[in-house]
Amino acid sequence: MNDQSYASLHIPKSAKPRIVIVGGGFAGIQLAKGLRNKKFQVVMIDRHNYHTFQPLLYQVATAGLEPDSIAGPLRKLFKSHKDFYFRMATVNRILSEENKIETSIGNLSYDYLVLANGSKTNFFGNDENFDKAFPLKQVPQALDLRSHLLQNFEKATMASQKDERQSLMNFVIVGGGPTGVEVAGALGELKMHVLPNDYNELDFEKMGIFLVEGQSNLLSGMSESASKKAYEFLKRFNVTVKLGTLVKAYDGKFVKLDDGMVIPSQTLIWAAGVTGNIIDGISESCLEGGRILVDSFNKVKSYDNIYAIGDLALMKTEVYQKGLPMLAPVAVQQGKILAKNLVKLQNGDSPQPFEYLDKGSMATIGRNKAVVDLPNIRFSGLFAWFVWMFIHLISIIGFRNKLVVFSNWLWNYFTYDRGTRLIIRPFVRMNKKQKSAKPEEIISN
Amino acid sequence: MNDQSYASLHIPKSAKPRIVIVGGGFAGIQLAKGLRNKKFQVVMIDRHNYHTFQPLLYQVATAGLEPDSIAGPLRKLFKSHKDFYFRMATVNRILSEENKIETSIGNLSYDYLVLANGSKTNFFGNDENFDKAFPLKQVPQALDLRSHLLQNFEKATMASQKDERQSLMNFVIVGGGPTGVEVAGALGELKMHVLPNDYNELDFEKMGIFLVEGQSNLLSGMSESASKKAYEFLKRFNVTVKLGTLVKAYDGKFVKLDDGMVIPSQTLIWAAGVTGNIIDGISESCLEGGRILVDSFNKVKSYDNIYAIGDLALMKTEVYQKGLPMLAPVAVQQGKILAKNLVKLQNGDSPQPFEYLDKGSMATIGRNKAVVDLPNIRFSGLFAWFVWMFIHLISIIGFRNKLVVFSNWLWNYFTYDRGTRLIIRPFVRMNKKQKSAKPEEIISN
């Protein structure tokens, strides 16, 4: 799309002020929904043509679900919205003085700009030490990981060297937050129930699952009892949990830990943290810890008409002095309030400051096992697992997706099978340049 | 997998004779099923870890189905078979004098070799003129095409030049056999019912669907009435059908026809024909028209222990003097009979010559429309469409896949929606070298 013929996004001029929303994640979607047929023209820009329900991305990576069940076409969501435009592109730069953005497909002016483009994998500044790790933030990454996992077992059936086979059957996960714990649990299930059927030539006792966490407990955002239970559940799957340990480097063959341990493994899954997707052009003074500082109305400091919501926004409150957590519920709530506030501003009313309503948090660790922290009650085990499933099902966008996820879960549960263990993306590791391919390269041919 | 450590396929020696089956398509699967726990060791080699139900591949390409519904993991199919081994690899050469094959992962000896590796896209020797066409033989190709189609509409919303937009919205299909007709019908449905909801900025009256066929009628393998009906159905979708016309060249922008017409189009879908996947090492004298000549026992001429079944095999009979058609039912029947015959040979009994039982043929052209030729009766329309669906559903391998396909069809039918219109494989056209990537490159990293 570098073509001259795409030098403009072809959004018609409107009498109404134009709100440009960057990103169709939880925050962006709620904002756009709240702005439906209000006194604004709304333009949403996303690099994908679909919304990703990230909490279940790990199930795509572990062959439990196909992408169509957790991804929803963005255009479909907003098809009844008037004066709404979707564009598949990336935003390269913000020209705040001109109230314009530069995108991969041309420039666009805005009256209000809302940055809702979330977070990206954070290698803590050591990108080069971890360029062979598998991140897990986007659907294509999840599919790459799935193909890679399954290919490892295909190769393991043929490995003539013991050490080679072991390295193919060792899986190291960095990060003991919900994603890391859930990936470890899903791999544990594959090991116990699914893969031995397929690869009866292999000894699955030898499949190694390692979860490495820098802090002294798992699920550090949750209660102590949740973190202990998660540890216990993972132990039952024979996951080796290494707490208070950092991963120093990975060359594609060996994972080096800061306690001197070296794990031979052809798979390092990175679930260790994220940082804001900062777009060039935002003043350095508004950034902190890789996120954009916002006030209690989600307005970016020192700009009049630029807002940030969701993971990208750093909003400090009395309770959360280091900023609100990077969680889906924060994003959803901020998107909803900002929609109301923009309408209020337009009507000359005063906006309402954001207040985070913590509804609790949860994580699942394989079949029948989950931990749930609600504001007043904490529980774990089978009932927690049902609650986890129920909350995720009702949160998935679209009736079809709820149905597909639910029926896949039923199938997987009762058959101990995974229908989607297909090596479909021939996984060829891209070189650095390709890896950071921008959508204009991706969607041109 | 070029690694020295994979110089062998690690198949244990067995006291029983070893049958190596190349390919897990319709023919290979039936053969392996028939050999279950008989007096043979069976090794199946395929470049994918799944069987592809090719008759529905076009629905993956047109956003109707996800791959998991038409692909079945091969290891799962044969998990109860004793002395059965699956290996994901390609076969590079047959060393018939040594009873060995060379594969991408090492050499393997055989007692019987059965070539069931089907067919590949045939550009009629003009590969260079058509390297920008989209073939439709494998799941990854179908996903590439799906991403490409949807990206075209994303681009079209932004095209500033009328001719550019039109070229994005023109789709040319080469080949008026069942695949070509079904793709054209599916695109017609997308045009009428699905895409206008997503892209209300575009005028779908202008979406052009062209079906180009060299012969003077569509579905030339079927009855005249079926071919006329198919033509009529396609007309209702405003498909431009060009009969008796050949495609001469395609540069990615313009399709040149032999009647002088030039169609501006960024999509040429190749459904025009296939040729056998010939592996090096088979004597030239056994080849005819890109297929391997076999006798009525599917034995390859001039070899004692090499067989070919399915699309790859050219078996001439009294009725089919040019050889049996390259159709799934032929492959299925040949696989079944060969299994019986190999067992008979092993027991010292005489084998039974193959006789093709023609059960009829059919094609669908969008919702409620299909043509069916049975041996004694021909019909079309709604009832034919139900028959088409029923036959395909019962033919898909595996209960889960039947269920997933059926529920997707129900959903698509009643909602006029397509749940899977996701641009998931960033479609970057590979250069020639990558395009012909062999599995050893693909499964290594």
Side-chain angles (χ1 to χ4, degrees):
Chain A
M1 308 274 266
N2 291 319
D3 204 302
Q4 243 349 76
S5 53
Y6 301 103
S8 146
L9 282 80
H10 281 261
I11 313 283
K13 286 230 186 289
S14 169
K16 295 178 274 182
R18 176 185 290 163
I19 299 180
V20 174
I21 305 171
V22 184
F26 287 114
I29 279 187
Q30 292 302 332
L31 173 60
K33 280 188 175 174
L35 293 173
R36 182 182 175 203
N37 303 347
K38 302 289 185 207
K39 295 175 194 162
F40 294 103
Q41 180 183 62
V42 178
V43 180
M44 177 178 281
I45 300 178
D46 197 288
R47 73 177 120 178
H48 296 303
N49 77 331
Y50 51 87
H51 164 77
T52 305
F53 188 74
Q54 285 191 354
L56 292 182
L57 202 53
Y58 80 95
Q59 296 204 357
V60 174
T62 52
L65 294 172
E66 275 285 45
D68 70 329
S69 53
I70 64 149
L74 284 167
R75 288 187 179 274
K76 183 183 164 188
L77 270 179
F78 303 112
K79 70 179 180 186
S80 65
H81 289 215
K82 281 171 201 154
D83 218 359
F84 174 91
Y85 296 88
F86 173 77
R87 291 295 179 261
M88 187 170 147
T90 40
V91 180
N92 297 327
R93 173 175 286 278
I94 298 162
L95 308 168
S96 59
E97 307 220 329
E98 303 168 50
N99 289 327
K100 257 190 192 170
I101 52 170
E102 275 178 22
T103 81
S104 53
I105 49 174
N107 294 349
L108 185 69
S109 64
Y110 59 80
D111 295 296
Y112 297 95
L113 176 65
V114 184
L115 302 170
N117 49 318
S119 55
K120 61 183 180 188
T121 303
N122 181 14
F123 293 111
F124 305 119
N126 288 316
D127 290 35
E128 281 174 24
N129 279 349
F130 295 110
D131 61 354
K132 294 208 162 114
F134 285 86
L136 197 48
K137 287 287 293 174
Q138 300 174 24
V139 170
Q141 292 169 347
L143 287 174
D144 280 346
L145 179 53
R146 183 176 90 185
S147 283
H148 175 79
L149 293 177
L150 295 171
Q151 281 174 28
N152 276 6
F153 292 102
E154 292 295 333
K155 285 185 190 177
T157 59
M158 296 174 281
S160 52
Q161 306 292 328
K162 190 179 156 191
D163 57 346
E164 173 76 8
R165 187 165 52 242
Q166 188 59 53
S167 144
L168 287 162
M169 291 177 74
N170 276 347
F171 299 88
V172 183
I173 303 143
V174 194
T179 304
V181 165
E182 290 178 341
V183 170
L187 288 177
E189 263 199 77
L190 285 177
K191 171 183 171 171
M192 282 182 75
H193 302 306
V194 182
L195 294 173
N197 286 327
D198 273 7
Y199 301 93
N200 50 25
E201 302 163 59
L202 297 176
D203 176 7
F204 277 88
E205 283 293 312
K206 297 214 169 110
M207 175 173 166
I209 308 171
F210 300 83
L211 180 60
V212 184
E213 163 61 45
Q215 300 197 44
S216 57
N217 50 3
L218 294 174
L219 301 174
S220 61
M222 293 182 69
S223 65
E224 207 186 310
S225 66
S227 110
K228 278 190 179 156
K229 265 289 170 196
Y231 188 86
E232 219 183 286
F233 288 149
L234 286 175
K235 280 283 155 195
R236 286 194 218 163
F237 278 130
N238 285 319
V239 174
T240 307
V241 181
K242 291 190 71 81
L243 296 173
T245 310
L246 296 175
V247 176
K248 277 170 66 184
Y250 181 57
D251 60 0
K253 298 262 178 190
F254 296 96
V255 184
K256 287 186 184 147
L257 307 183
D258 71 345
D259 63 358
M261 187 171 173
V262 176
I263 307 171
S265 172
Q266 306 207 8
T267 316
L268 181 72
I269 301 167
W270 194 269
V274 289
T275 185
N277 257 327
I278 305 292
I279 298 171
D280 284 352
I282 287 288
S283 158
E284 286 284 334
S285 67
C286 309
L287 304 182
E288 191 180 308
R291 294 161 79 190
I292 299 177
L293 275 165
V294 296
D295 64 17
S296 60
F297 304 97
N298 280 98
K299 200 175 69 57
V300 181
K301 274 177 62 175
S302 66
Y303 296 96
D304 286 334
N305 57 350
I306 303 184
Y307 293 79
I309 48 178
D311 279 5
L312 182 57
L314 180 65
M315 184 189 286
K316 295 180 181 178
T317 69
E318 290 231 341
V319 183
Y320 297 90
Q321 301 209 344
K322 288 181 177 175
L324 291 169
M326 294 161 92
L327 292 174
V330 177
V332 167
Q333 293 173 32
Q334 288 184 340
K336 282 184 182 169
I337 292 290
L338 183 58
K340 285 184 189 163
N341 282 342
L342 288 169
V343 171
K344 281 184 178 166
L345 281 173
Q346 196 67 0
N347 294 336
D349 301 333
S350 33
Q352 156 197 0
F354 178 74
E355 274 181 64
Y356 174 47
L357 177 63
D358 182 2
K359 292 181 179 162
S361 49
M362 52 182 80
T364 181
I365 310 103
R367 59 196 293 131
N368 301 349
K369 295 182 200 71
V371 290
V372 173
D373 284 357
L374 297 186
N376 300 312
I377 184 172
R378 289 160 189 169
F379 51 100
S380 60
L382 183 64
F383 179 65
W385 188 66
F386 279 112
V387 170
W388 181 92
M389 285 197 295
F390 178 73
I391 297 287
H392 280 76
L393 273 181
I394 60 168
S395 308
I396 298 170
I397 287 158
F399 179 69
R400 180 183 180 279
N401 286 14
K402 291 186 210 305
L403 212 67
V404 176
V405 170
F406 184 61
S407 41
N408 268 284
W409 283 353
L410 280 182
W411 180 268
N412 294 346
Y413 188 78
F414 288 108
T415 63
Y416 288 86
D417 192 14
R418 296 289 180 277
T420 62
R421 52 182 187 282
L422 313 173
I423 303 176
I424 278 183
R425 291 170 72 87
F427 177 68
V428 188
R429 199 180 287 281
M430 288 186 163
N431 63 35
K432 208 133 191 208
K433 196 162 164 276
Q434 288 171 292
K435 216 170 186 174
S436 65
K438 298 217 178 92
E440 72 267 38
E441 296 164 53
I442 287 170
I443 51 180
S444 60
N445 48 49
Chain B
M1 308 276 262
N2 291 319
D3 204 303
Q4 242 352 75
S5 53
Y6 300 103
S8 146
L9 282 82
H10 281 263
I11 314 284
K13 284 232 186 291
S14 168
K16 294 180 275 182
R18 175 184 291 163
I19 298 180
V20 175
I21 305 171
V22 184
F26 287 113
I29 279 186
Q30 293 301 333
L31 173 60
K33 280 188 175 173
L35 292 173
R36 182 184 176 203
N37 302 349
K38 300 291 186 207
K39 295 175 194 161
F40 295 102
Q41 179 183 61
V42 178
V43 180
M44 178 180 279
I45 300 178
D46 196 289
R47 70 179 123 181
H48 297 304
N49 77 330
Y50 51 87
H51 165 76
T52 305
F53 188 74
Q54 285 192 354
L56 292 181
L57 202 54
Y58 80 97
Q59 296 205 357
V60 174
T62 53
L65 294 172
E66 276 284 46
D68 70 329
S69 52
I70 63 148
L74 285 167
R75 286 185 180 276
K76 184 182 164 189
L77 270 179
F78 303 111
K79 70 180 180 186
S80 65
H81 289 216
K82 281 172 202 155
D83 217 358
F84 173 92
Y85 296 87
F86 173 76
R87 291 294 180 262
M88 188 170 147
T90 40
V91 179
N92 298 328
R93 175 175 284 280
I94 298 162
L95 308 167
S96 59
E97 306 220 332
E98 301 167 51
N99 288 328
K100 258 190 189 168
I101 51 170
E102 277 179 23
T103 82
S104 52
I105 49 174
N107 295 349
L108 185 69
S109 63
Y110 59 80
D111 295 296
Y112 296 95
L113 176 65
V114 184
L115 302 170
N117 50 318
S119 54
K120 61 182 182 189
T121 303
N122 180 15
F123 293 111
F124 303 120
N126 289 317
D127 289 36
E128 282 174 23
N129 278 349
F130 296 109
D131 61 354
K132 293 206 162 117
F134 285 86
L136 196 49
K137 286 288 291 175
Q138 299 174 25
V139 170
Q141 292 169 347
L143 286 173
D144 280 345
L145 179 53
R146 183 177 89 185
S147 284
H148 175 80
L149 293 177
L150 295 170
Q151 283 173 27
N152 275 5
F153 292 102
E154 292 295 333
K155 286 185 190 177
T157 61
M158 297 174 280
S160 53
Q161 306 292 328
K162 190 178 155 191
D163 58 345
E164 174 76 7
R165 187 165 52 242
Q166 189 59 54
S167 143
L168 287 161
M169 291 178 72
N170 277 347
F171 299 87
V172 183
I173 303 143
V174 194
T179 304
V181 165
E182 290 178 341
V183 170
L187 288 176
E189 263 200 78
L190 286 176
K191 171 183 172 173
M192 281 181 76
H193 304 304
V194 182
L195 294 172
N197 286 328
D198 272 8
Y199 302 94
N200 50 25
E201 302 164 56
L202 297 175
D203 176 6
F204 277 88
E205 283 292 312
K206 296 215 168 110
M207 175 174 166
I209 308 170
F210 299 84
L211 180 60
V212 184
E213 164 59 46
Q215 300 197 43
S216 57
N217 51 4
L218 295 173
L219 301 174
S220 61
M222 293 182 69
S223 66
E224 208 186 309
S225 66
S227 110
K228 278 189 178 155
K229 266 288 170 194
Y231 187 88
E232 218 184 287
F233 288 149
L234 287 174
K235 280 283 154 194
R236 287 194 218 163
F237 279 128
N238 284 319
V239 173
T240 307
V241 180
K242 291 189 70 78
L243 297 173
T245 311
L246 296 174
V247 176
K248 276 169 67 185
Y250 181 57
D251 61 0
K253 298 260 178 192
F254 296 96
V255 184
K256 288 188 183 145
L257 306 184
D258 71 345
D259 63 357
M261 186 171 174
V262 175
I263 307 171
S265 172
Q266 305 206 10
T267 316
L268 181 72
I269 301 166
W270 193 269
V274 288
T275 185
N277 257 327
I278 304 291
I279 298 170
D280 284 351
I282 286 287
S283 159
E284 286 284 334
S285 68
C286 310
L287 305 181
E288 190 179 308
R291 295 162 80 191
I292 299 177
L293 275 165
V294 296
D295 64 18
S296 60
F297 304 97
N298 279 100
K299 200 175 69 58
V300 182
K301 273 177 64 175
S302 64
Y303 294 96
D304 285 335
N305 56 351
I306 303 185
Y307 293 79
I309 48 178
D311 279 5
L312 182 58
L314 180 66
M315 185 190 286
K316 296 182 181 178
T317 68
E318 290 233 339
V319 183
Y320 297 91
Q321 301 209 343
K322 288 179 176 175
L324 289 169
M326 293 162 92
L327 293 173
V330 177
V332 167
Q333 293 172 31
Q334 288 184 339
K336 283 183 182 169
I337 291 289
L338 182 58
K340 284 184 190 163
N341 282 341
L342 287 169
V343 172
K344 280 184 180 167
L345 281 172
Q346 196 66 1
N347 294 336
D349 301 334
S350 32
Q352 155 196 4
F354 178 73
E355 274 181 65
Y356 174 48
L357 178 63
D358 181 4
K359 292 180 179 164
S361 49
M362 52 183 76
T364 181
I365 309 103
R367 61 195 293 128
N368 302 348
K369 296 182 200 71
V371 289
V372 173
D373 284 357
L374 297 186
N376 300 311
I377 185 172
R378 290 159 189 171
F379 51 100
S380 61
L382 184 63
F383 180 65
W385 189 65
F386 279 112
V387 170
W388 182 92
M389 286 198 294
F390 177 75
I391 296 288
H392 280 77
L393 274 180
I394 60 167
S395 308
I396 297 170
I397 286 157
F399 179 68
R400 178 181 182 279
N401 287 13
K402 289 184 210 305
L403 212 67
V404 176
V405 170
F406 183 60
S407 42
N408 268 285
W409 283 352
L410 280 181
W411 180 268
N412 295 346
Y413 187 78
F414 288 109
T415 63
Y416 288 85
D417 191 14
R418 295 289 180 277
T420 62
R421 52 181 186 282
L422 314 172
I423 304 177
I424 279 185
R425 289 171 73 88
F427 177 69
V428 188
R429 199 180 285 281
M430 289 185 162
N431 63 35
K432 209 131 191 214
K433 197 165 161 274
Q434 288 172 294
K435 216 169 186 173
S436 65
K438 299 221 177 89
E440 71 266 40
E441 295 164 55
I442 287 170
I443 50 181
S444 60
N445 48 48

